[in-house]
Amino acid sequence: MQVGMVGAGRMGANLARRLTRAGHGCVVYDSDPEAVEPLRAEGVPTTSSLAELVAGLTTPRVVWLMVPVEHTGGVLDEVAASLDAGDVVIDGGNSYYRDAVTRARELDTGGIHFVDVGTSGGVYGLQRGFCLMIGGEPATVRWLDPVFRALAPGGVDGAAGSRSNGQVDGVGTAELGYLHCGPAGAGHFVKMVHNGIEYGQMAALAEGLEILQRAGIGDGAGVRPDDAEFYGYELDVARIAEVWRRGSVISSWLLDLTAGVLRDDPQMEGYSGHVADSGEGRWTVQTAVDEGVPAYVLTAALYERFSSRRDRGYADRVLSGMRHAFGGHQERQGS
């Protein structure tokens, strides 16, 4: 199947590579000409404009948008103007699920199909595969199955995870790493909550590691004199993170990445501790409010990111390091 990929950033470029390696045709465009150069050097076809990309696709056309959320609406409008009834637009970015519902309805008036795909995997997705959470019309999603299957981890071990105890055949594509979650917006809704949970997991790890890092505070600020003897541990936080990876209940890929960051920079001196939020955490908290769900941990984790932009401690630097490890996120310069 042929796919036009709009966006050659950290995620878009690797999506294009994975599709190409699986034998699918992939044509790539990015507004920054330099972004597509590595792909062109690898033999992946690229274009110099959106119009050229759309014109070169076979019908029915499939255009996958992998652009920052603030640009998605404008790029989608430009692409849709060149599409015909029966063509498909896929939004694989971290768009607000309500925008997906609206966009699907608007495109449907012209007979254009819209599919929202929450995409997780970060900079390791090329090797590990991407976890895909999909929203859209059942018939369209089924037609796109070869694309999703090529991008997802596949199998029932390794990056895809081992089969759950007692699991038998019949679970469908979920154990392969991709799932049709429901109608338009459902994919982005599930990815939104996924990222909200991610905020909480990251914050718990970072805060716990700071408690370990400060265990040698002795009679320092915040410790009563009578308690000073109980805070004389000079703990090797990097090695503790490493041992936790080996059979502990909190072992995870996120802990694996954190252990790697700490091994390379135990004091996190290479990170300022400015932790950005890209919107999904806020939307998850607002959705929890709408649904009446008391999401204490997710809300606190979001507020922790806000506070990191004022008072940046060790935990904030660990959080920043995690974001760089799994997603390649760079800290804001001058922050």
Side-chain angles (χ1 to χ4, degrees), residues 172-210:
T173 64
E175 69 176 5
L176 302 180
Y178 68 106
L179 179 68
H180 182 205
C181 300
H188 281 157
F189 187 93
V190 174
K191 179 57 161 50
M192 173 188 74
V193 177
H194 164 283
N195 282 24
I197 293 170
E198 179 185 290
Y199 280 28
Q201 290 181 324
M202 291 173 66
L205 269 175
E207 290 170 8
L209 292 170
E210 180 164 16

Side-chain angles (χ1 to χ4, degrees), residues 1 3 16 25 30 35 65 77 85 103 139 161 168 173 189 199 218 228 239 242 248 251 276 307 318 327 330-331:
M1 185 175 289
V3 177
D30 194 285
L65 308 184
D77 290 344
R103 288 163 181 163
V168 296
T173 64
F189 187 93
Y199 280 28
R239 291 192 177 186
E242 186 66 30
S248 83
S251 59
S307 67
V318 173
Q330 300 295 329
E331 292 183 326

Side-chain angles (χ1 to χ4, degrees), residues 91-329:
D91 178 10
N94 284 325
S95 298
Y96 190 26
Y97 81 96
R98 294 191 179 194
D99 291 337
V101 174
T102 301
R103 288 163 181 163
R105 183 174 62 247
E106 293 173 346
L107 289 172
D108 185 60
T109 61
I112 299 171
H113 305 286
F114 178 86
V115 177
D116 52 288
V117 180
T119 308
S120 183
V123 295
Y124 292 87
L126 177 60
Q127 291 78 30
R128 291 169 55 93
F130 295 90
C131 176
L132 306 175
M133 296 144 269
I134 307 162
E137 304 158 313
T140 303
V141 173
R142 282 196 300 271
W143 181 67
L144 291 168
D145 186 80
V147 170
F148 301 140
R149 187 173 290 264
L151 292 173
V156 292
D157 54 18
S162 59
R163 173 162 283 185
S164 298
N165 291 337
Q167 182 66 62
V168 296
D169 292 338
V171 72
T173 64
E175 69 176 5
L176 302 180
Y178 68 106
L179 179 68
H180 182 205
C181 300
H188 281 157
F189 187 93
V190 174
K191 179 57 161 50
M192 173 188 74
V193 177
H194 164 283
N195 282 24
I197 293 170
E198 179 185 290
Y199 280 28
Q201 290 181 324
M202 291 173 66
L205 269 175
E207 290 170 8
L209 292 170
E210 180 164 16
I211 293 171
L212 295 174
Q213 190 257 351
R214 291 174 58 82
I217 195 172
D219 59 355
V223 176
R224 297 180 305 171
D226 291 346
D227 292 334
E229 66 173 306
F230 302 110
Y231 293 96
Y233 302 115
E234 296 297 333
L235 302 176
D236 189 326
V237 178
R239 291 192 177 186
I240 291 170
E242 186 66 30
V243 76
W244 281 351
R245 295 179 56 216
R246 315 293 173 173
S248 83
V249 172
I250 64 169
S251 59
S252 64
W253 184 41
L254 184 58
L255 180 58
D256 293 345
L257 295 171
T258 306
V261 171
L262 288 166
R263 182 177 59 248
D264 295 338
D265 186 358
Q267 297 305 316
M268 307 306 296
E269 293 172 347
Y271 300 91
S272 72
H274 182 288
V275 186
D277 70 285
S278 53
E280 304 93 318
R282 301 184 189 210
W283 302 331
T284 303
V285 170
Q286 183 57 59
T287 300
V289 172
D290 292 343
E291 296 178 350
V293 176
Y296 304 109
V297 173
L298 276 57
T299 303
L302 175 64
Y303 288 167
E304 171 63 28
R305 295 198 173 198
F306 295 165
S307 67
S308 77
R309 298 159 208 177
R310 298 183 177 90
D311 181 17
R312 302 167 193 171
Y314 185 83
D316 296 323
R317 296 198 298 277
V318 173
L319 281 171
S320 190
M322 286 185 213
R323 294 185 80 245
H324 181 261
F326 72 72
H329 302 286

